Amino acid sequence: MMNESQFDLWCRRNNITDKARLIIEQIRFSEPVRSVYSKRNNVSGKYPSKKMGLTIQFESSTVEFSAIYNMEHDPDVFEYYDQPNSMKLNYLNHNQKNVGSIYTPDFFVIRKNSAMWEEWKTEEELLLLSSKNPNRYLKDNLGIWRCPSAEDYAAKLGLEFRVHSSSEINVTLLRNLQFLEDYILDDDKSIEESKKREVQNIISENSVILLSNLIKQGINFNADDLYNLLVRGHIYIDINKYNLGEYQETPVFLREEHYLTLQKIEDSARNCQYKFESLNLKVGEELSWEGQRWKIANLGSEHITIINKENVFIELSKEMIISLFNDKKIQGISIVNEPKFFQKGKELLLEASPEQLSEATRKLELVKRSLKGERNLADEVSARTLADWVKSYREGEELYGNGYISLIPQTQKRGNRQNKLPTETLYLLEKFIETEYENIKQKSRKVVYGALLNECESKGIVAPSYKTFCKYVAKRPREESVKKREGKRAAYKYEKFYWSLEQRTPRHGDRPFEICHIDHTELDIEVVFSNSEQKSCRPYITLLVDAYSRKILAHYLTFDAPSYRSIMMVLRECVKKYSRLPQVLVVDGGKEFQSTYFENLLATYECTKKLRPAAKPRYGSVIERLFGTTNTLFVHNLQGHTKIMKNVRQVTKSVNPKNHALWNLAELNKELQRWIHEIYHKLEHPALGGTPKKTFELGIALGGNRPYRMIRYDEIFEIMTLPTTSRQKAKIQIGMGVKINYIYYWTDIFKEPDIEGTSVPVRYDPFDLGIAYAFVKGKWVKCISQYYSIFKGKTENELKVISNEVRKRHQSHAKNLHMSAKLIAQYIGQVEEIEKLKVQRAKDKEVKTSLRTVNTGQDLNKSQHKVSPINEDKSRIDYSKLKMLDFFEEC
């Protein structure tokens, strides 16, 4: 962004008036006048602009988001602002009446030599709006879209207004800018000279090489080095034409001059090939070459061979044939244009059903036998019928160029198919369906039909039958009918699926971490508390999924309902594992995704947030399907799953999942993690053609590790991802500190008199209840729990489970119960006792196994009987044997 002196210099260079400068300054220092949101079929979001140093809103991920990327990387653009200000436009409506409307443009853009408001819309939307009111939007003689009323508003200030269409967007360039953004922004990345020479030598040896092959041939360099060389101009790829994400189809050149030279050669060859094919040459065809007759003997890939009456063979290149034809030295070769009536034959052929084609084939066989002179056909078909078929066959050859087409039966077109009901009846029928049937009352067909009969009788017109009424109801558009009767959510599954007929940015990205989805769901299983037989409830799971590879990057299990805390914990897990966050994060409209902390985190680490439309599960199909897969392949195979609760009236006490719950949260989390890594990531995915694990690894190898995106898992990141309480603040109590989740935390700064008694923002760490943070005097200060020594030695998973279980248990007993840190410490002691018991049981089992082996003399596999001091995987325990072990111990 420009500072004050730079902005003042820009205004003087571009002769900006005082009035225009005042408006521009208001735009520069004001928040957007409106917040964007996802409507029916648009995906809105926020882009963290490094050029602007703030987040920029976009209301469409295909149009406005593309405009943002172009402006972000356009050196001619100094600043750009979303939803800058509202303006009143006056124009004539379709009735030629003067109307006024309040309008908010998409962007205000400050370029090197101009400043303007910009509106971005799809070409289809502009065509629709111009047809409704050509005075609002119109297309001039140069094919440029304009908004005259907005242009007049801008002209009064000496500024400009432009309307942009989606047809102006170079989708390939946009896709490549997204691909290379991490390397464009990484200004400090240095390139070793040895790697540069190795890359250039490989390209020079091949003159041109595909990107995938170049990456595979690298010995000392990787994909990151190649993309850094590309953005710095040391190698060349035409990013306006080739998609970098299509590694096996993207050619790499040493210099742009090499690419342009090869392009001219290819264009010339392609033009020659097109002209040659348009001549429609065929083997055996005769032609005249300067008065002499020649016959085509062979058609090769580069040459053709012709022969004359003296059996003299001559081989001519395609270029020579085209030159001779253009000079009119060769005659008898013409471009064959299919007559229009031949197209009608193709249409009839495509409209025929399999049964009709089978019948036509039977007729053709008999016709051919008749034309060959065979007379003994009376047993199969009458002479008169056969004569009609022969006649039709010959007519078809003349009309369609193929007699077979005329033999196709046209029985579906026979008879009088005109509607026999009077016009008044049809009008009344349509009216009753629209007004009486398609409404929120959801009347049945029979009720509406009865009302229709009464109306027809009162007006003395013919009434339709109930069958006809139902037929017309079925003909109505299903989506609109269901929407009027049951609402838009019920009609969603009947919505038209819009296929993309053009090559656009893939829905799931070109590489891992480009697009990721995050969402929550309640698992279909009842769990118990670790140290109690009391049945608990169903846990919630938060998943972070890579859309490109379908790999689960991180997960978080908790008893708490979906919240900001769950999001922060799963993002923390992602950084802990991979040292990076997604480039684009797709979320739904939940309140937890709108929190200030969440958006600040994304802006800090340059992550774009995309908000999918409400009640549109197709936009989140990647993660929605994964929830189903997790329940089906994992949860539903565990004891205590709640699949049976779908038919709750049939559930008895003996089969109720609450009475069979076995897993606790820690064990379930451990087994889920094992299932993810050992099972799910190794399953073949139908949309990938491979497993998520292999697709992820290959995507990283080709798309690069992208060091620019790497994030240190340090104290700064931990503080940025720490959750806060529901009130977000806590009061500093004298001598006690701040109370967070029933635990007091203290730091020496709380002693200062001006701090005591004030409320300060706080954050806590669910992974370590021994510490918390308070925002005091402009900085985050670390606070220590009064029971820090008890909590300090616990692992992250232990602390996570302890905090979840204790909080959940006491919430169910009483709302006013104040839980102290002593209670948590006591709980930890109970867990430790259980752990000691498990260790002892494991040791006893090992001793008994060894004795059994000695007594029987069997050579047992040691790995099968090796038991760790603490059983890490309860799902592998034979519970029947465990009960027997308890019996022997008691004896």
Side-chain angles (χ1 to χ4, degrees):
M1 292 179 64
M2 295 182 289
N3 55 34
E4 194 61 33
S5 60
Q6 291 172 334
F7 176 70
D8 183 67
L9 179 61
W10 175 85
C11 289
R12 284 188 278 109
R13 284 181 177 177
N14 291 280
N15 299 318
I16 303 298
T17 64
D18 293 340
K19 187 176 181 180
R21 176 168 180 163
L22 180 61
I23 291 179
I24 295 174
E25 286 179 341
Q26 289 177 350
I27 294 173
R28 295 181 74 224
F29 297 107
S30 301
E31 295 292 325
V33 298
R34 60 181 287 267
S35 298
V36 301
Y37 58 94
S38 295
K39 294 180 288 188
R40 182 184 177 190
N41 286 315
N42 71 304
V43 176
S44 63
K46 294 184 178 181
Y47 172 76
S49 170
K50 193 168 185 178
K51 175 181 284 188
M52 296 299 297
L54 46 84
T55 56
I56 303 295
Q57 298 180 108
F58 57 89
E59 203 158 19
S60 167
S61 63
T62 56
V63 181
E64 293 179 15
F65 187 53
S66 303
I68 289 174
Y69 252 97
N70 287 332
M71 291 185 288
E72 180 73 16
H73 299 287
D74 185 355
D76 192 48
V77 175
F78 289 170
E79 296 176 0
Y80 62 98
Y81 300 89
D82 63 285
Q83 312 299 316
N85 64 306
S86 297
M87 57 179 72
K88 186 174 182 179
L89 304 182
N90 295 295
Y91 55 92
L92 298 176
N93 63 11
H94 62 282
N95 294 324
Q96 299 305 308
K97 291 184 179 180
N98 190 22
V99 296
S101 64
I102 302 299
Y103 161 71
T104 303
D106 290 328
F107 303 103
F108 183 81
V109 186
I110 300 177
R111 288 184 166 84
K112 183 179 180 181
N113 299 316
S114 64
M116 67 189 69
W117 287 275
E118 292 189 359
E119 178 69 22
W120 285 80
K121 293 185 180 297
T122 63
E123 183 74 14
E124 296 77 14
E125 188 178 4
L126 287 171
L127 289 171
L128 179 62
L129 292 172
S130 63
S131 64
K132 291 181 178 180
N133 187 0
N135 297 318
R136 178 69 184 271
Y137 293 103
L138 58 89
K139 204 171 191 178
D140 62 17
N141 297 329
L142 299 177
I144 299 175
W145 284 101
R146 298 178 53 197
C147 180
S149 55
E151 291 175 2
D152 294 340
Y153 174 88
K156 293 177 182 178
L157 300 170
L159 303 175
E160 301 177 38
F161 185 95
R162 290 185 184 176
V163 179
H164 294 276
S165 165
S166 59
S167 60
E168 303 175 29
I169 300 173
N170 184 339
V171 179
T172 302
L173 177 61
L174 170 67
R175 184 172 166 183
N176 289 330
L177 286 176
Q178 292 174 313
F179 190 97
L180 296 172
E181 183 179 40
D182 296 334
Y183 304 98
I184 295 173
L185 298 177
D186 190 4
D187 297 329
D188 299 330
K189 178 66 177 178
S190 59
I191 305 172
E192 296 181 14
E193 192 64 28
S194 59
K195 294 181 179 179
K196 177 182 173 182
R197 285 197 303 270
E198 183 182 353
V199 172
Q200 292 178 339
N201 289 338
I202 294 176
I203 300 176
S204 299
E205 293 173 359
N206 298 272
S207 70
V208 59
I209 185 172
L210 294 177
L211 180 58
S212 59
N213 294 336
L214 181 59
I215 295 174
K216 291 177 182 177
Q217 292 186 27
I219 299 176
N220 299 316
F221 66 86
N222 55 26
D224 292 306
D225 299 317
L226 287 179
Y227 301 135
N228 274 302
L229 290 171
L230 175 62
V231 299
R232 285 157 180 76
H234 298 298
I235 59 177
Y236 181 79
I237 297 176
D238 187 358
I239 61 175
N240 290 287
K241 182 178 179 181
Y242 298 102
N243 291 317
L244 295 175
E246 298 173 356
Y247 311 100
Q248 297 179 349
E249 299 179 7
T250 302
V252 186
F253 300 86
L254 192 60
R255 298 283 183 271
E256 183 178 3
E257 295 77 15
H258 299 168
Y259 166 72
L260 294 176
T261 302
L262 183 61
Q263 194 68 20
K264 290 179 181 179
I265 297 173
E266 290 181 352
D267 290 342
S268 177
R270 192 180 299 110
N271 186 43
C272 174
Q273 181 68 18
Y274 172 75
K275 290 182 177 179
F276 183 80
E277 291 177 352
S278 66
L279 298 178
N280 196 33
L281 299 178
K282 298 178 182 179
V283 174
E285 184 177 347
E286 292 188 352
L287 52 87
S288 174
W289 184 5
E290 294 186 344
Q292 294 186 17
R293 296 177 66 86
W294 296 80
K295 182 182 289 187
I296 298 176
N298 181 57
L299 283 173
S301 59
E302 299 294 335
H303 300 82
I304 70 168
T305 304
I306 58 176
I307 184 174
N308 62 6
K309 293 182 179 180
E310 289 75 23
N311 292 329
V312 177
F313 287 87
I314 295 180
E315 192 175 68
L316 300 175
S317 66
K318 292 181 178 180
E319 293 84 353
M320 187 176 295
I321 287 288
I322 294 171
S323 177
L324 292 172
F325 175 74
N326 291 334
D327 295 338
K328 297 183 180 180
K329 294 181 179 180
I330 287 183
Q331 297 179 359
I333 303 176
S334 60
I335 300 175
V336 178
N337 291 320
E338 184 182 23
K340 292 183 179 179
F341 54 79
F342 279 18
Q343 184 63 29
K344 178 63 177 176
K346 288 184 178 180
E347 293 175 1
L348 292 174
L349 191 61
L350 293 174
E351 292 174 357
S353 65
E355 293 77 12
Q356 290 174 318
L357 293 176
S358 178
E359 178 64 16
T361 302
R362 186 182 72 85
K363 291 180 181 180
L364 180 63
E365 182 183 353
L366 294 172
V367 168
K368 286 186 176 181
R369 290 167 61 185
S370 176
L371 293 176
K372 289 180 181 179
E374 190 173 341
R375 299 301 177 206
N376 300 325
L377 299 175
D379 295 338
E380 300 183 51
V381 65
S382 67
R384 184 171 180 176
T385 301
L386 183 59
D388 290 339
W389 290 353
V390 172
K391 181 182 178 182
S392 298
Y393 178 81
R394 287 172 175 167
E395 289 176 352
E397 287 184 324
E398 295 179 3
L399 290 174
Y400 311 122
N402 191 328
Y404 176 79
I405 296 175
S406 63
L407 297 177
I408 298 175
Q410 302 294 324
T411 53
Q412 75 277 11
K413 297 181 180 180
R414 294 176 185 173
N416 182 5
R417 299 182 179 273
Q418 299 296 325
N419 200 312
K420 302 175 181 63
L421 288 174
T423 306
E424 296 83 359
T425 303
L426 292 176
Y427 171 76
L428 203 60
L429 177 62
E430 294 286 351
K431 180 182 177 181
F432 264 72
I433 293 175
E434 290 182 12
T435 59
E436 298 297 325
Y437 180 75
E438 294 179 345
N439 59 39
I440 198 63
K441 293 182 179 179
Q442 299 186 36
K443 295 180 182 179
S444 67
R445 295 185 183 185
K446 288 188 177 181
V447 171
V448 177
Y449 177 69
L452 175 62
L453 289 181
N454 293 333
E455 186 70 15
C456 290
E457 184 178 350
S458 64
K459 292 187 176 183
I461 61 177
V462 178
S465 66
Y466 180 66
K467 183 177 180 180
T468 301
F469 174 79
C470 293
K471 180 180 178 182
Y472 273 82
V473 169
K475 284 183 178 180
R476 299 283 297 176
R478 190 68 181 275
E479 179 188 350
E480 293 300 323
S481 179
V482 175
K483 184 184 294 184
K484 291 177 182 178
R485 287 173 59 85
E486 304 176 36
K488 61 181 182 180
R489 291 199 176 186
Y492 175 66
K493 62 182 178 181
Y494 301 108
E495 278 187 14
K496 178 182 177 182
F497 189 88
Y498 294 94
W499 293 95
S500 179
L501 302 181
E502 300 177 6
Q503 180 61 47
R504 295 188 176 273
T505 303
R507 287 192 307 155
H508 305 311
D510 288 314
R511 63 192 182 280
F513 286 103
E514 180 183 358
I515 300 174
C516 295
H517 294 250
I518 186 172
D519 205 352
H520 331 266
T521 193
E522 193 176 25
L523 286 181
D524 295 345
I525 189 171
E526 292 283 346
V527 299
V528 297
F529 293 128
S530 300
N531 65 336
S532 173
E533 294 298 324
Q534 176 190 359
K535 303 302 182 292
S536 180
C537 60
R538 292 166 59 183
Y540 289 90
I541 185 172
T542 301
L543 291 182
L544 177 63
V545 183
D546 176 52
Y548 176 81
S549 65
R550 308 301 201 277
K551 184 176 182 179
I552 299 176
L553 301 177
H555 76 277
Y556 179 68
L557 270 180
T558 178
F559 282 124
D560 297 330
S563 65
Y564 156 80
R565 293 182 289 274
S566 302
I567 302 171
M568 288 306 187
M569 291 305 101
V570 80
L571 293 179
R572 177 184 282 197
E573 283 292 308
C574 180
V575 173
K576 185 177 291 185
K577 289 180 180 179
Y578 304 102
S579 299
R580 62 179 301 180
L581 289 174
Q583 185 172 354
V584 176
L585 199 58
V586 181
V587 299
D588 61 19
K591 291 183 179 180
E592 65 272 17
F593 295 113
Q594 315 304 321
S595 68
T596 303
Y597 291 105
F598 177 60
E599 295 195 346
N600 287 345
L601 176 69
L602 297 187
T604 301
Y605 294 102
E606 299 179 9
C607 301
T608 301
K609 185 183 81 169
K610 286 190 176 183
L611 182 64
R612 70 191 199 210
K616 303 286 184 179
R618 288 180 196 151
Y619 288 82
S621 58
V622 169
I623 198 164
E624 297 291 346
R625 289 173 182 169
L626 185 53
F627 285 144
T629 300
T630 304
N631 275 320
T632 304
L633 300 184
F634 172 66
V635 176
H636 291 171
N637 294 308
L638 302 178
Q639 184 171 324
H641 70 79
T642 60
K643 183 179 179 182
I644 194 175
M645 299 302 290
K646 291 182 178 179
N647 300 318
V648 66
R649 290 183 178 273
Q650 301 176 10
V651 178
T652 62
K653 185 177 181 180
S654 61
V655 296
N656 193 316
K658 287 184 175 293
N659 299 326
H660 294 272
L662 178 68
W663 294 84
N664 62 45
L665 196 65
E667 293 167 342
L668 180 64
N669 184 58
K670 189 182 299 181
E671 191 62 23
L672 174 62
Q673 187 169 357
R674 189 173 73 90
W675 176 81
I676 290 173
H677 293 295
E678 297 183 13
I679 306 298
Y680 171 73
H681 284 165
K682 296 179 181 180
L683 289 176
E684 291 284 334
H685 196 288
L688 303 176
T691 65
K693 183 176 183 293
K694 291 183 179 179
T695 304
F696 180 84
E697 292 172 352
L698 181 61
I700 290 293
L702 295 174
N705 283 306
R706 300 174 180 267
Y708 177 78
R709 288 279 170 185
M710 296 300 171
I711 300 172
R712 289 182 179 274
Y713 191 86
D714 52 15
E715 188 177 13
I716 296 176
F717 178 78
E718 286 183 350
I719 294 175
M720 290 297 296
T721 57
L722 289 179
T724 183
T725 61
S726 58
R727 295 182 180 179
Q728 299 184 4
K729 289 186 176 182
K731 185 177 181 179
I732 301 177
Q733 301 182 24
I734 300 175
M736 299 295 291
V738 292
K739 191 175 185 181
I740 305 174
N741 291 336
Y742 317 107
I743 302 174
Y744 280 102
Y745 293 86
W746 176 262
T747 182
D748 290 340
I749 199 172
F750 291 161
K751 293 180 180 179
E752 299 183 10
D754 57 333
I755 300 297
E756 291 181 345
T758 61
S759 295
V760 295
V762 293
R763 291 185 176 184
Y764 68 93
D765 190 346
F767 287 175
D768 187 354
L769 298 182
I771 61 173
Y773 292 86
F775 193 75
V776 183
K777 292 187 175 182
K779 63 180 180 180
W780 288 101
V781 179
K782 186 176 181 180
C783 306
I784 304 299
S785 165
Q786 60 188 124
Y787 294 99
Y788 178 75
S789 60
I790 298 176
F791 298 126
K792 184 179 179 181
K794 294 301 170 185
T795 64
E796 293 177 344
N797 286 334
E798 286 176 322
L799 291 174
K800 182 167 57 177
V801 171
I802 290 168
S803 60
N804 271 291
E805 292 190 357
V806 174
R807 183 164 56 250
K808 188 66 179 179
R809 178 183 292 110
H810 288 278
Q811 282 176 355
S812 63
H813 283 300
K815 293 183 179 179
N816 298 324
L817 179 64
H818 296 286
M819 183 169 53
S820 66
K822 289 183 178 180
L823 186 60
I824 299 179
Q826 180 182 3
Y827 178 84
I828 294 175
Q830 294 173 357
V831 173
E832 289 176 345
E833 291 299 323
I834 294 174
E835 290 174 344
K836 291 178 181 179
L837 179 60
K838 286 187 176 183
V839 171
Q840 187 59 45
R841 287 183 176 179
K843 291 179 178 179
D844 293 342
K845 185 176 180 180
E846 183 71 19
V847 172
K848 292 179 181 180
T849 302
S850 301
L851 291 174
R852 192 181 302 116
T853 304
V854 173
N855 293 334
T856 57
Q858 295 177 352
D859 185 13
L860 299 178
N861 189 330
K862 296 181 180 180
S863 62
Q864 294 178 353
H865 296 275
K866 184 177 181 179
V867 180
S868 58
I870 299 179
N871 197 318
E872 294 289 335
D873 189 356
K874 187 173 181 179
S875 66
R876 298 178 182 176
I877 298 176
D878 188 333
Y879 289 96
S880 62
K881 294 181 178 179
L882 189 59
K883 292 180 180 179
M884 292 297 295
L885 180 61
D886 294 340
F887 173 77
F888 284 117
E889 287 176 351
E890 291 174 1
C891 294

